[in-house]
Amino acid sequence: MHFETDRPAFEFRQGTAPVLISFPHVGTYVPPALAERFMPDAREVHDTDWHLPILYAFAEEIGASTLVATHSRFVVDMNRPPDGASLYPGQSVTGLCPTDTFADTPIYRSKDLEPDDAEIAQRRDAVWQPYHDQLAGELTRIKAQHGAAGLWDAHSIRSVLPRFFEGKLPDLNLGTNKGASCAPGLGEQLLAEAQKSAADGFTSVLNGRYTGGYITRHYGQPAQNVHAIQLEMTQCAYMQETMPFDYLPEVAAKIQPHVRRMVEVLLQFVQNQGR
């Protein structure tokens, strides 16, 4: 089957500070011809990282650049390797062009409607590649201008997902590819900041179930002064986890300042590195 889309792969705003915030899973667009092949519930794209650009509205105030995916991860997952290799060998994962949801239900109405290798390549070329070209280009620009660059990869997920983890996920899950995607000690600084959220009832962990996806692992190159962090947040910390997936401003107001301060820790660190 042939894949086409009539939407750009991303929305981008260039900032003045040496940090880029990436939102690879906030997109909800599925081209109509593809949506026709989906199961009814898959068309509702439940596995979206809903409303994160709203939660990170402070990005413009602190001067961070933002890169926002437009297409659903059900079309193509921006945070997977281009060859579709598993990021967590031996654990349950979803692929570059997923065929099942986080709830382990089928995305497609039948097996013969799933994408073949040729269609996966089309989706990668049309949507995945432009996003990554923009991401790589902006990090190159930031480093050239400031001497160092920080990448914050912003994610959220339902707090209870038996397919991937037991019990309830910690609210703030920092990932640094087990320390390889940023300078030594930076992850621990960020965790110390995250732990201050305990006063508001939030939990945090560094390199727990989520150590960082393809974006964090690929672009985090501390030896080249590019430092990448992933934050996987529980959705219950800022929104309604079930349909209609509403943003809850009064709930988000408690976690947002903590997220902002963590990003500011990264910003301060990168600014010092670039001097």
Side-chain angles (χ1 to χ4, degrees), residues 99-244:
T99 57
D100 51 10
T101 70
F102 288 173
D104 217 5
T105 60
I107 291 174
Y108 294 86
R109 291 188 286 110
S110 63
K111 282 283 186 183
D112 62 320
L113 295 176
E114 294 178 358
D116 58 15
D117 290 345
E119 185 183 353
I120 290 171
Q122 289 170 346
R123 297 191 201 180
R124 184 174 59 234
D125 293 347
V127 182
W128 188 98
Q129 194 64 56
Y131 188 91
H132 283 268
D133 288 346
Q134 184 68 32
L135 199 165
E138 179 62 4
L139 289 177
T140 298
R141 183 199 69 79
I142 289 172
K143 186 185 172 187
Q145 181 175 340
H146 298 276
L151 171 62
W152 187 273
D153 206 39
H155 296 260
S156 71
I157 194 168
R158 294 195 295 282
S159 60
V160 178
L161 272 174
R163 174 177 176 180
F164 300 127
F165 48 84
E166 295 181 5
K168 182 181 181 294
L169 194 68
D171 296 300
L172 299 169
N173 299 265
L174 289 158
T176 63
N177 192 19
K178 300 180 180 178
S181 69
C182 66
L186 178 55
E188 288 72 21
Q189 287 184 48
L190 290 162
L191 178 62
E193 187 61 48
Q195 287 173 334
K196 295 176 183 177
S197 70
D200 288 317
F202 300 110
T203 53
S204 53
V205 69
L206 174 64
N207 292 316
R209 170 61 177 85
Y210 294 99
T211 60
Y214 175 78
I215 289 173
T216 305
R217 301 183 196 193
H218 180 73
Y219 294 101
Q221 302 290 335
Q224 281 74 52
N225 233 353
V226 179
H227 307 274
I229 309 293
Q230 176 177 294
L231 178 63
E232 184 81 71
M233 290 180 54
T234 55
Q235 292 179 341
C236 64
Y238 73 98
M239 60 167 278
Q240 182 180 344
E241 287 193 338
T242 55
M243 285 193 70

